[in-house]
Amino acid sequence: MMLESLRKEVLEANLEVVRRGLVLYTFGNASGISRAEGLVAIKPSGVPYDALRPEHLVITDLDGRVVEGNLKPSSDLATHLVLYRAFPAIGGVVHTHSRYATAWAQAGREIPCLGTTHADYFHGSVPVTDALHPQEIETDYEWNTGQVILRRFAGTDPMARPGVLVTGHAPFCWGRTPAEAAHNAVVLEEIACLAYHALTINPSALTISDALRDKHFLRKHGPTASYGQK
Amino acid sequence: MMLESLRKEVLEANLEVVRRGLVLYTFGNASGISRAEGLVAIKPSGVPYDALRPEHLVITDLDGRVVEGNLKPSSDLATHLVLYRAFPAIGGVVHTHSRYATAWAQAGREIPCLGTTHADYFHGSVPVTDALHPQEIETDYEWNTGQVILRRFAGTDPMARPGVLVTGHAPFCWGRTPAEAAHNAVVLEEIACLAYHALTINPSALTISDALRDKHFLRKHGPTASYGQK
Amino acid sequence: MMLESLRKEVLEANLEVVRRGLVLYTFGNASGISRAEGLVAIKPSGVPYDALRPEHLVITDLDGRVVEGNLKPSSDLATHLVLYRAFPAIGGVVHTHSRYATAWAQAGREIPCLGTTHADYFHGSVPVTDALHPQEIETDYEWNTGQVILRRFAGTDPMARPGVLVTGHAPFCWGRTPAEAAHNAVVLEEIACLAYHALTINPSALTISDALRDKHFLRKHGPTASYGQK
Amino acid sequence: MMLESLRKEVLEANLEVVRRGLVLYTFGNASGISRAEGLVAIKPSGVPYDALRPEHLVITDLDGRVVEGNLKPSSDLATHLVLYRAFPAIGGVVHTHSRYATAWAQAGREIPCLGTTHADYFHGSVPVTDALHPQEIETDYEWNTGQVILRRFAGTDPMARPGVLVTGHAPFCWGRTPAEAAHNAVVLEEIACLAYHALTINPSALTISDALRDKHFLRKHGPTASYGQK
């Protein structure tokens, strides 16, 4: 069996978002990439999580051809592949329909940076994509979902905002590893929840200052990070 | 004991909606039908779920006559029967007072199709019935609850929208099997929750495009379905 | 030990509201009455629930004199006693600070009868008391809390609406037994939650018709009740 | 190992806020002080809670110098130290990003005293700090977070309102012991939740009367306290 260690990491990322309550039934999928081999491991489509074993994961190349596995890959595979091809720093992608993040995606609204919990992970608002055009939906829908994400991130660093809301759909998150992508998906749901409640309390709540946003983001990320036992 | 396998399926559907948190005390009921025999198995009225065994289910014919069982059937039996008689494709019916779906029913508002989670299951908005007239309430209330549902679905395919909100009351869902009806009840609650939060964030949130709605519904349903391991 | 069976019922009612998530720390209390002996069993003040045993309950007479027990009774004892003296049909009282019901009490708003879940238990809106006058707060506060409830129920049947919101405070519920009082407290929390969400979706949501309200209330209560296995 | 008993109390306070659902991942920290020795025990930075043992806690002096421990202290240490230096009556400090309290902090709004649950713990509204100036963020950020709290409490008794919302950030709570600080953090989250829902129901909900506020606060605090088994 190929990529045994990656399979385990990807399985664990899939299970983590389930344990954290982000997934109803099979509404989500996590993947990971081996950059050395140019191969991706992804959850199979529609398989219940409690039956999922490392050997059920599907291995594909970056064109989506199945290299190992008897099951069909997640229907969102093409979106994951677009992200891996465009964002060389990422090692994992996680897609969920988690409640608050999906509500923001359905509302078609960016999540403004209202607090330090947000700034610890996202350097600025959580972006929302444009809607896909009908022709982008009819042909190569999942691939075009990736493209609409790329358009939204053009000229920006995907590691500074490790997730996106696909409008009318749901979030995609990423990270250096599958575990980090799952962690970011969990935090995005929390950020989305906090902003939902903050704006209900005060619809004209202000975003935090650039200084505070930078302080928190850089305390956790980049060369000057000081959080944790590093 | 008649219909042993159907009894088990119906018991399991009743327990599934409890496990998923859709039911407080005994506020819900699931049933299933054997089309071959024209018989329905339904939860007895007011019996605690943890004491429920297959032999407690009540078997009735399509006129509501008890064919087997010592307990009284659920008080909503007549509503289930109306649905089985009018919708030949369905094999199970589930009624709950789940929180978000019931809130929409109490609000008297259709749930607009704001996202793909919705479109994966409902091809368009989740319909709301008209209110019953006082005379429909005073006589044959539960039967008339079924009739008001039928009026709302006149000329439409019930499998394209496998559930309804009875205004001022709560949802009824259905499916090809009791398990699918329970699954749809769980998903309806999720859809209702997502729409609640999306519209709080953005009261003028738009429904998704017809192209996106069709893409998602048809990816999961009908002859061109490609989701899961089919 | 006196009233052993009543003590067990009251303990169980106290634990039920904890298990159902209505109680944070020790913010709640349940009591029961032996009408034959004119004695009340009530939770002691500020004792953690997981250490609570039948022998810890405090037995008092209807003037609040401790008849058996080494612990201080709940600080809300006097409110319970007022209710027992004024409402001869009740056998149990439960007070909690459950989240949605308390939010309505803090909002100072009656919970309108927006759906059948509500009408199954409350025949009309859930009432809110007036605020207490400063002098009613300074002297005999808990007794006066009972009085302000009685004023709100003057000329009405307390069994038709088995609970109340004390404005700026929280709900009190009652029933024929401690178990029924606890059950009503749990249902009131659910009703409060449903109405909260329904009115957020549609601030001008209508109350259900008198015919529907009566149908549901009388299906569960009174001489014509038909719900459950009765 | 120094301060073994304090270490256990602080560990327990850290675990309590996790058990109560106030903490996602490592987003929180509790500390305690030995006034006799002028030493503080605090959670190490970014260590998972389920691996936390008394010996992992970090002991520092009131200038933040590590006296015992191999791990880095929580990044919020300096904020805790400012509070210990300025508020001689406190023995524990707890910081979380709990959902409702953080939403209020992000909204930049004080939590008005709308009910008795609130008045049992906070004698008046829950205060919000001013925003920090950019220069306060760039240099000695965590120390200045403490200073902005002190400015908000100037001339008032910190024991009468045992917590604060740092605007755009999250709550800090305190108490006579680490356990009491954790308890206050849990109650603040509940208060924040109740006020959120009460104001959604009725945006012009009134604060309770001074008489009711005083009655409840003084029933639990100060020389005339009568709640519990004291």
Side-chain angles (χ1 to χ4, degrees):
Chain A
M1 192 167 69
M2 301 170 67
L3 299 170
E4 199 155 342
S5 143
L6 179 64
R7 284 172 180 273
K8 283 182 187 162
E9 283 177 68
V10 171
L11 175 58
E12 175 57 24
N14 274 290
L15 296 180
E16 171 68 0
V17 289
V18 172
R19 277 192 301 257
R20 296 283 175 174
L22 275 67
V23 171
L24 177 68
Y25 292 125
T26 58
F27 303 177
N29 42 71
S31 70
I33 189 168
S34 162
R35 291 285 176 189
E37 316 195 41
L39 295 177
V40 167
I42 192 166
K43 181 173 162 288
S45 180
V47 171
Y49 285 90
D50 53 9
L52 211 55
R53 301 285 171 271
E55 57 269 28
H56 298 142
L57 297 183
V58 185
I59 308 293
T60 78
D61 65 20
L62 280 163
D63 293 315
R65 280 182 291 257
V66 174
V67 172
E68 192 177 64
N70 299 315
L71 296 169
K72 280 173 53 185
S74 163
S75 58
D76 297 301
L77 169 65
T79 313
H80 292 237
L81 296 179
V82 169
L83 298 175
Y84 286 123
R85 292 168 79 115
F87 301 161
I90 70 176
V93 172
V94 168
H95 170 53
T96 77
H97 288 205
S98 67
R99 285 191 158 184
Y100 285 98
T102 300
W104 282 91
Q106 292 194 167
R109 287 274 167 89
E110 304 216 338
I111 306 177
C113 183
L114 299 174
T116 60
T117 320
H118 183 125
D120 282 333
Y121 287 85
F122 281 78
H123 194 246
S125 62
V126 179
V128 180
T129 69
D130 288 334
L132 279 77
H133 295 289
Q135 62 271 32
E136 292 173 318
I137 292 165
E138 278 146 29
T139 311
D140 294 329
Y141 167 58
E142 292 83 5
W143 182 265
N144 285 323
T145 297
Q147 297 302 322
V148 82
I149 296 172
L150 296 193
R151 290 204 293 271
R152 186 62 191 78
F153 276 78
T156 73
D157 176 7
M159 301 315 281
R161 294 190 290 180
V164 68
L165 307 173
V166 176
T167 198
H169 187 161
F172 283 82
C173 288
W174 47 82
R176 286 167 298 174
T177 61
E180 191 177 282
H183 183 91
N184 289 338
V186 174
V187 171
L188 172 56
E189 177 64 4
E190 190 74 10
I191 289 169
C193 173
L194 293 172
Y196 174 90
H197 290 99
L199 288 171
T200 303
I201 295 167
N202 181 3
S204 50
L206 299 175
T207 56
I208 60 175
S209 67
D210 290 1
L212 188 56
R213 182 200 62 202
D214 292 353
K215 184 70 178 184
H216 272 264
F217 189 78
L218 299 173
R219 206 164 70 157
K220 284 215 170 182
H221 306 275
T224 58
S226 64
Y227 185 85
Q229 300 298 327
K230 332 183 209 193
Chain B
M1 193 166 69
M2 301 169 67
L3 300 171
E4 199 156 341
S5 143
L6 179 64
R7 284 172 180 275
K8 282 182 188 162
E9 283 178 67
V10 172
L11 175 58
E12 176 57 24
N14 274 289
L15 296 179
E16 170 68 0
V17 288
V18 172
R19 278 192 302 257
R20 295 284 175 173
L22 275 69
V23 171
L24 177 67
Y25 294 126
T26 58
F27 303 178
N29 42 71
S31 70
I33 189 167
S34 162
R35 291 284 175 188
E37 315 195 40
L39 295 176
V40 167
I42 192 166
K43 182 173 161 287
S45 180
V47 171
Y49 286 91
D50 53 8
L52 211 55
R53 300 285 171 271
E55 58 269 27
H56 298 142
L57 298 183
V58 185
I59 307 294
T60 79
D61 64 19
L62 280 164
D63 294 315
R65 281 183 290 258
V66 174
V67 171
E68 192 176 66
N70 299 315
L71 297 169
K72 279 173 54 187
S74 163
S75 58
D76 296 303
L77 169 65
T79 313
H80 292 237
L81 296 179
V82 169
L83 298 176
Y84 286 124
R85 293 167 80 113
F87 300 160
I90 70 175
V93 172
V94 169
H95 170 53
T96 78
H97 288 206
S98 67
R99 285 191 159 183
Y100 286 98
T102 300
W104 282 92
Q106 292 193 168
R109 287 274 168 89
E110 305 216 337
I111 307 177
C113 183
L114 299 175
T116 60
T117 320
H118 183 125
D120 282 333
Y121 288 86
F122 281 78
H123 193 246
S125 63
V126 179
V128 179
T129 69
D130 288 334
L132 279 77
H133 294 290
Q135 60 272 33
E136 292 174 318
I137 292 166
E138 279 146 30
T139 310
D140 295 329
Y141 167 58
E142 293 83 6
W143 182 265
N144 286 323
T145 298
Q147 297 303 322
V148 82
I149 296 172
L150 297 194
R151 290 205 292 271
R152 186 63 191 77
F153 276 79
T156 74
D157 176 7
M159 301 314 282
R161 294 190 292 179
V164 67
L165 307 173
V166 176
T167 197
H169 187 160
F172 283 82
C173 288
W174 48 81
R176 287 167 298 174
T177 60
E180 190 176 282
H183 183 90
N184 289 338
V186 173
V187 172
L188 172 56
E189 177 63 5
E190 191 73 11
I191 289 170
C193 173
L194 292 172
Y196 173 90
H197 290 100
L199 287 171
T200 303
I201 294 167
N202 181 3
S204 49
L206 300 174
T207 56
I208 60 175
S209 67
D210 291 1
L212 188 55
R213 180 199 66 201
D214 292 353
K215 183 73 181 183
H216 272 264
F217 190 77
L218 299 173
R219 205 165 70 157
K220 283 216 171 182
H221 305 276
T224 58
S226 65
Y227 184 85
Q229 299 299 325
K230 333 183 207 189
Chain C
M1 192 167 69
M2 301 170 67
L3 299 172
E4 200 156 342
S5 144
L6 180 65
R7 284 172 180 274
K8 281 182 187 162
E9 283 177 68
V10 171
L11 175 58
E12 175 56 24
N14 274 290
L15 296 179
E16 170 67 359
V17 288
V18 173
R19 276 192 302 257
R20 295 283 175 173
L22 274 68
V23 171
L24 178 68
Y25 293 126
T26 58
F27 302 178
N29 42 70
S31 69
I33 190 168
S34 163
R35 290 284 175 188
E37 315 196 41
L39 295 177
V40 167
I42 192 166
K43 182 173 161 286
S45 180
V47 171
Y49 285 91
D50 53 7
L52 210 57
R53 301 284 172 271
E55 58 268 27
H56 297 142
L57 297 184
V58 185
I59 308 293
T60 79
D61 65 19
L62 280 163
D63 293 316
R65 280 183 291 257
V66 174
V67 171
E68 192 177 66
N70 300 314
L71 297 168
K72 278 173 54 185
S74 163
S75 58
D76 296 302
L77 169 65
T79 313
H80 292 237
L81 296 179
V82 169
L83 298 176
Y84 286 124
R85 293 167 79 114
F87 300 159
I90 70 175
V93 171
V94 169
H95 170 53
T96 79
H97 287 205
S98 67
R99 284 191 159 184
Y100 286 98
T102 300
W104 281 93
Q106 292 193 169
R109 287 273 168 89
E110 304 215 339
I111 307 177
C113 184
L114 299 174
T116 59
T117 320
H118 182 124
D120 282 333
Y121 287 86
F122 282 79
H123 194 245
S125 63
V126 179
V128 179
T129 69
D130 288 334
L132 280 78
H133 294 290
Q135 61 272 33
E136 291 174 317
I137 293 166
E138 278 145 29
T139 311
D140 295 330
Y141 166 58
E142 292 84 5
W143 182 264
N144 286 323
T145 298
Q147 297 303 321
V148 83
I149 295 173
L150 296 193
R151 290 204 293 271
R152 186 64 190 76
F153 277 77
T156 72
D157 176 7
M159 301 315 281
R161 294 190 291 180
V164 67
L165 306 173
V166 176
T167 197
H169 187 163
F172 282 82
C173 288
W174 46 82
R176 286 166 300 173
T177 61
E180 191 176 282
H183 183 89
N184 289 338
V186 174
V187 172
L188 172 56
E189 177 63 6
E190 191 73 10
I191 289 169
C193 173
L194 292 173
Y196 173 90
H197 290 98
L199 288 171
T200 303
I201 294 167
N202 181 4
S204 49
L206 300 174
T207 56
I208 59 175
S209 67
D210 290 1
L212 188 55
R213 182 199 64 201
D214 292 352
K215 182 72 179 184
H216 272 264
F217 189 77
L218 299 174
R219 207 165 69 157
K220 283 215 171 184
H221 306 276
T224 59
S226 65
Y227 184 86
Q229 299 299 326
K230 338 183 206 191
Chain D
M1 192 167 68
M2 301 170 67
L3 299 171
E4 200 157 341
S5 143
L6 180 64
R7 285 171 179 273
K8 282 181 188 162
E9 283 178 66
V10 171
L11 175 57
E12 176 57 24
N14 274 290
L15 297 180
E16 170 68 359
V17 288
V18 172
R19 276 192 303 256
R20 296 282 175 176
L22 275 68
V23 171
L24 178 68
Y25 292 126
T26 59
F27 302 178
N29 42 71
S31 70
I33 190 168
S34 163
R35 291 284 176 189
E37 314 195 41
L39 296 177
V40 167
I42 192 167
K43 181 172 162 287
S45 180
V47 171
Y49 286 91
D50 53 8
L52 211 56
R53 300 285 172 271
E55 58 268 28
H56 298 142
L57 297 184
V58 185
I59 308 293
T60 79
D61 65 19
L62 281 163
D63 293 315
R65 280 182 292 258
V66 174
V67 172
E68 191 176 65
N70 299 316
L71 296 169
K72 280 173 54 185
S74 163
S75 58
D76 297 302
L77 169 64
T79 314
H80 292 236
L81 296 179
V82 169
L83 298 176
Y84 286 123
R85 293 168 79 115
F87 300 160
I90 71 176
V93 171
V94 168
H95 170 53
T96 78
H97 287 205
S98 67
R99 285 190 159 185
Y100 286 98
T102 300
W104 281 91
Q106 292 193 168
R109 287 274 167 90
E110 305 216 338
I111 306 177
C113 184
L114 299 175
T116 60
T117 320
H118 183 124
D120 282 333
Y121 287 87
F122 281 79
H123 193 247
S125 63
V126 179
V128 179
T129 70
D130 287 335
L132 279 78
H133 294 290
Q135 62 271 32
E136 291 174 318
I137 292 165
E138 278 146 29
T139 311
D140 295 329
Y141 167 58
E142 292 83 6
W143 182 264
N144 286 322
T145 298
Q147 297 303 321
V148 83
I149 295 172
L150 297 193
R151 290 205 293 272
R152 185 63 191 76
F153 276 78
T156 73
D157 176 7
M159 301 315 281
R161 294 190 291 179
V164 68
L165 306 173
V166 177
T167 197
H169 187 161
F172 282 82
C173 288
W174 47 82
R176 286 167 298 174
T177 61
E180 191 176 281
H183 182 91
N184 289 338
V186 174
V187 171
L188 172 56
E189 177 63 6
E190 190 74 10
I191 289 169
C193 173
L194 292 173
Y196 174 90
H197 290 99
L199 288 171
T200 303
I201 294 167
N202 181 3
S204 50
L206 299 175
T207 56
I208 59 175
S209 67
D210 290 1
L212 188 56
R213 181 200 65 203
D214 293 353
K215 183 72 180 184
H216 272 265
F217 190 77
L218 299 173
R219 206 164 72 155
K220 284 215 171 184
H221 305 276
T224 58
S226 65
Y227 184 86
Q229 300 298 328
K230 336 182 206 192

